[in-house]
Amino acid sequence: EPEVTQTPSHQVTQMGQEVILRCVPISNHLYFYWYRQILGQKVEFLVSFYNNEISEKSEIFDDQFSVERPDGSNFTLKIRSTKLEDSAMYFCASVQEDSPLHFGNGTRLTVT
Amino acid sequence: GESVGLHLPTLSVQEGDNSIINCAYSNSASDYFIWYKQESGKGPQFIIDIRSNMDKRQGQRVTVLLNKTVKHLSLQIAATQPGDSAVYFCAEFYGGATNKLIFGTGTLLAVQP
């Protein structure tokens, strides 16, 4: 069964550094998402992406965040200047249309 | 250091018993609901979904009930097994062009052997 893959599985970075989290969504899917989960808390919506542009973003997704689909297979989340509070699991998801989102296993981001 | 997270509601059941996990959703306009299971260190995994034109849907060992009047969802797991131990999230689609999925708080299901 096709799945969403995310790399790296764990990223450690220093405060103020830029990080790029990478995702390969399922190939025939049309909608792409990033979610965040702080340890022990619920999964929070960050951004949705469709037709090569952002469809919607949450208040968490401020100017330090950006997303890109640089080619036909990858979907990236960039955090320009990381803060301690950005430490979390970041999940990528994709969906064809009007069906359940498929999630990757996440990237654990640790900001020190 | 890491932030202290919220304490999740916990349901503790004996192996073989039936489990019922409840969820209240927020948006009366939501028309599609999904239950996800999340095991430690993994992403949310789809279990079962239901649309707003239904009030019950059954899968293998799982049943979802929807009560739109009180904006309530439940997930019933029959003959709970140790492998069912995980955090369970309900999620609602806010609808529209974005298909934005919003998660609830989550319930930790602990199955005792």
Side-chain angles (χ1 to χ4, degrees):
Chain A
E1 184 175 325
E3 55 183 29
V4 176
T5 57
Q6 292 186 242
T7 55
S9 56
H10 190 189
Q11 174 85 49
V12 182
T13 190
Q14 289 189 323
M15 193 167 52
Q17 295 297 304
E18 174 183 287
V19 294
I20 297 176
L21 309 183
R22 302 181 189 278
C23 170
V24 179
I26 295 173
S27 61
N28 63 342
H29 285 186
L30 303 175
Y31 296 84
F32 314 108
Y33 303 80
W34 283 100
Y35 283 78
R36 180 183 82 174
Q37 186 178 33
I38 294 171
L39 181 69
Q41 298 190 22
K42 68 178 182 181
V43 181
E44 298 176 291
F45 170 79
L46 290 178
V47 65
S48 60
F49 191 88
Y50 171 72
N51 200 25
N52 285 319
E53 60 183 22
I54 291 174
S55 301
E56 191 163 348
K57 57 185 180 180
S58 72
E59 61 275 10
I60 303 169
F61 194 89
D62 61 22
D63 290 344
Q64 71 162 342
F65 290 91
S66 62
V67 290
E68 193 178 27
R69 188 158 163 81
D71 52 43
S73 60
N74 291 285
F75 180 52
T76 62
L77 175 69
K78 181 191 292 185
I79 309 175
R80 290 189 185 82
S81 178
T82 50
K83 303 189 287 282
L84 293 176
E85 54 265 37
D86 293 328
S87 294
M89 287 290 292
Y90 288 82
F91 293 106
C92 174
S94 69
V95 65
Q96 193 168 37
E97 190 167 8
D98 198 29
S99 58
L101 270 61
H102 294 252
F103 285 83
N105 279 327
T107 293
R108 178 175 296 283
L109 177 65
T110 301
V111 183
T112 61
Chain B
E2 291 182 318
S3 60
V4 176
L6 296 171
H7 288 290
L8 287 172
T10 300
L11 176 64
S12 186
V13 300
Q14 292 292 318
E15 181 179 357
D17 287 352
N18 297 333
S19 303
I20 300 177
I21 300 171
N22 296 302
C23 173
Y25 64 92
S26 59
N27 188 350
S28 56
S30 294
D31 57 4
Y32 182 38
F33 305 89
I34 306 172
W35 279 98
Y36 283 92
K37 173 185 180 183
Q38 187 179 29
E39 296 172 301
S40 181
K42 294 188 176 181
Q45 179 186 2
F46 169 77
I47 302 173
I48 192 168
D49 57 359
I50 189 167
R51 300 197 182 267
S52 59
N53 60 351
M54 303 172 70
D55 53 21
K56 180 179 180 179
R57 191 159 188 232
Q58 289 185 288
Q60 187 178 17
R61 278 202 309 119
V62 294
T63 301
V64 55
L65 299 178
L66 173 63
N67 185 331
K68 294 182 289 294
T69 302
V70 294
K71 295 191 288 186
H72 184 267
L73 273 170
S74 67
L75 176 69
Q76 301 177 2
I77 305 174
T80 314
Q81 303 166 359
D84 295 326
S85 294
V87 178
Y88 289 80
F89 293 96
C90 67
E92 59 183 304
F93 259 106
Y94 271 30
T98 65
N99 282 346
K100 185 168 76 172
L101 188 67
I102 300 299
F103 282 77
T105 305
T107 297
L108 174 62
L109 177 64
V111 182
Q112 310 300 323

